[in-house]
Amino acid sequence: MADSRIDSMDMEIDPPAERSIVLFGRDVSTIPCFRNSFLYGISIGMAIGFMAFLKTSRPQLSTHIGFGTFMATTVGYWIPCRYNWSKQKFDMAQMQRALQQQAIFEGTDKERELEAKTEEA
């Protein structure tokens, strides 16, 4: 009976394969805001297209409306998301530079001069 037991060390478990989509030579999972923009665009475009079909019963028109809504939602979400991401990245770079300068000047005469200037202002 002891021989029928499976030891966990004997089994080799493969890690789950990472799924990635390459579009124009770039992995889209590394693009900020890509996932959310397309998920919102697809879901809202499908919902509006379906509602247009229920209202008009015209498949071609509802497809055009759904695709137009998909594009407008994707672009409408992408632009502010990328703007905020770029702004945060810029602010973080400035903060990192300031913290590095603070670490360099800490305990020196230069730090005392900067503190004196800020107290005067």
Side-chain angles (χ1 to χ4, degrees):
M1 263 204 142
D3 295 333
S4 65
R5 292 180 106 187
I6 298 174
D7 190 12
S8 61
M9 298 301 281
D10 292 339
M11 297 178 65
E12 290 184 27
I13 300 173
D14 292 333
E18 293 185 26
R19 293 181 285 166
S20 64
I21 298 172
V22 177
L23 187 64
F24 300 119
R26 186 164 179 195
D27 184 10
V28 295
S29 65
T30 61
I31 301 172
C33 301
F34 180 84
R35 180 178 183 269
N36 287 343
S37 296
F38 272 82
L39 286 177
Y40 286 133
I42 289 169
S43 60
I44 292 173
M46 286 180 63
I48 297 296
F50 182 69
M51 287 192 297
F53 178 72
L54 290 177
K55 178 134 176 90
T56 63
S57 296
R58 294 174 57 194
Q60 187 175 10
L61 176 65
S62 60
T63 303
H64 290 159
I65 290 171
F67 186 74
T69 305
F70 158 73
M71 292 300 293
T73 304
T74 301
V75 171
Y77 187 85
W78 175 270
I79 291 171
C81 183
R82 285 296 289 209
Y83 173 76
N84 290 333
W85 178 81
S86 297
K87 187 177 176 186
Q88 286 177 349
K89 186 176 177 183
F90 178 75
D91 291 343
M92 286 298 168
Q94 282 187 325
M95 180 63 74
Q96 186 176 12
R97 215 171 313 129
L99 289 173
Q100 287 173 348
Q101 290 295 320
Q102 174 63 27
I104 291 171
F105 293 144
E106 189 172 10
T108 63
D109 292 332
K110 182 73 172 174
E111 180 185 31
R112 291 184 198 98
E113 289 175 18
L114 292 173
E115 286 177 1
K117 286 182 183 178
T118 57
E119 289 176 6
E120 291 175 5

